């Protein structure tokens, strides 16, 4: 009997991540129908099984839902949920940025993080890998993972202000002109190598300065004016 072929890689994670970015940026706004399986197969050059798994991940994350006529759409008004590993990564990042965990401090193991946050060990391991990729953690050999930087506190803090200033500069320089929308939180986080909680705080600062305002669900943040 011929074997049924199954996806052998994690291409579905890549597809799901790309579609999530489109949702967060407003390219796929609330209520919009998701691209069909056939369209996604053609776009990404992957099998229907891989595409279905990617769409299932989005539904499990609460980003999409199947409505009347079995049409899959972007969900409505509630804030976008974070993936479990993102929540763990952002909680750790917030502790580092607040100085609760100082450069050179040992970070809890994946098992300890899993128990603390009520997630799987694999989820905690993924969160730790994210922080390593951001340069916030480093390997301490037998000591495990450590907060990056030296004990004198040379790790950069004040990231919220730095991101807010950088975004204000893009508005001032015309990269994001008045009336345009800023990129989604996840895209900004990837651009500046920070956590989404950092981006959210930076965006709050810009909103308090009257530079941007948050639009309705799925429409992102609108640039109101340039700095004077």
């Amino acid at each position: 009997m011929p074997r049924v072929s199954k996806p052998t890689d994690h291409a579905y994670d890549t597809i799901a991540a790309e579609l999530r970015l489109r949702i967060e940026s407003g390219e796929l706004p609330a209520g919009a129908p998701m691209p069909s399986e056939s369209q996604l197969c053609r776009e990404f050059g992957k099998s229907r099984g891989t595409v279905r798994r990617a769409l299932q991940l989005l539904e499990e994350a609460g980003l999409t839902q199947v409505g009347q006529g079995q049409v899959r759409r972007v969900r409505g008004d509630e804030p976008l949920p974070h993936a479990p590993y993102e929540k763990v990564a952002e909680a750790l990042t917030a502790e580092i940025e607040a100085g609760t965990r100082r450069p050179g401090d040992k970070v809890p193991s994946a098992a300890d993080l899993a128990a603390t946050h009520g997630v799987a060990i694999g989820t905690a391991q993924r969160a730790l890998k994210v922080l390593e990729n951001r340069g916030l953690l480093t390997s301490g050999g037998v000591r495990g993972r450590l907060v990056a930087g030296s004990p004198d506190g040379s790790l950069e803090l004040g990231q919220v202000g730095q991101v807010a200033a950088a975004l204000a500069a893009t508005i001032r320089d015309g990269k994001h002109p008045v009336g345009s929308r800023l990129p989604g939180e996840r895209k900004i986080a990837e651009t500046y190598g920070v956590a989404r909680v950092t981006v959210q705080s930076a965006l709050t600062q810009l909103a308090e300065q009257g530079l941007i305002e948050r639009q309705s669900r799925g429409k992102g943040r609108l640039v109101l004016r340039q700095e004077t």
Side-chain angles (χ1 to χ4, degrees):
M1 178 185 297
R3 297 178 64 184
V4 177
S5 62
K6 296 182 179 180
T8 57
D9 56 18
H10 295 294
Y12 52 82
D13 281 327
T14 301
I15 296 172
E18 171 60 27
L19 293 174
R20 183 183 180 109
L21 281 175
R22 296 179 190 179
I23 292 171
E24 292 179 342
S25 68
E27 182 179 342
L28 288 171
M34 294 293 292
S36 69
E37 291 179 2
S38 297
Q39 288 174 315
L40 293 173
C41 286
R42 289 193 298 271
E43 178 179 351
F44 293 97
K46 297 297 179 181
S47 69
R48 190 175 290 268
T50 299
V51 166
R52 283 178 178 169
R53 176 58 180 147
L55 292 171
Q56 182 183 358
L57 289 176
L58 295 178
E59 190 170 345
E60 290 172 354
L63 299 176
T64 64
Q65 60 187 359
V66 177
Q68 293 182 344
Q70 296 300 301
V71 176
R72 185 178 280 104
R73 296 181 181 275
V74 179
R75 290 190 65 174
D77 298 320
E78 61 276 6
L80 287 173
H82 294 191
Y85 78 91
E86 289 180 311
K87 293 180 180 179
V88 177
E90 291 176 5
L92 277 173
T93 301
E95 292 176 359
I96 293 171
E97 292 177 351
T100 305
R101 297 190 184 279
R102 304 291 297 172
D105 286 352
K106 183 179 178 180
V107 176
S109 67
D112 288 340
L113 286 173
T116 299
H117 295 276
V119 298
I121 291 180
T123 298
Q125 290 172 333
R126 188 172 181 183
L128 291 169
K129 187 64 177 178
V130 167
L131 266 64
E132 283 185 2
N133 292 339
R134 291 175 180 167
L136 294 178
L137 301 183
T138 186
S139 174
V142 295
R143 293 184 62 197
R145 291 180 176 88
L146 309 177
V147 177
S150 59
D152 63 3
S154 61
L155 180 71
E156 283 190 88
L157 299 177
Q159 291 180 319
V160 171
Q162 293 173 14
V163 174
L167 290 172
T170 67
I171 296 172
R172 183 174 61 252
D173 296 341
K175 182 177 180 180
H176 299 299
V178 174
S180 68
R181 290 184 308 190
L182 290 179
E185 292 175 2
R186 182 166 181 169
K187 181 65 174 178
I188 295 173
E190 291 176 349
T191 298
Y192 296 103
V194 297
R196 280 182 60 177
V197 289
T198 302
V199 172
Q200 290 164 354
S201 296
L203 292 171
T204 297
Q205 284 191 9
L206 296 183
E208 291 173 349
Q209 295 169 22
L211 300 181
I212 63 172
E213 70 175 3
R214 186 176 188 130
Q215 301 293 95
S216 59
R217 166 78 162 83
K219 293 186 178 179
R221 290 170 172 85
L222 183 70
V223 177
L224 297 179
R225 65 176 182 86
Q226 295 180 334
E227 280 185 310
T228 56

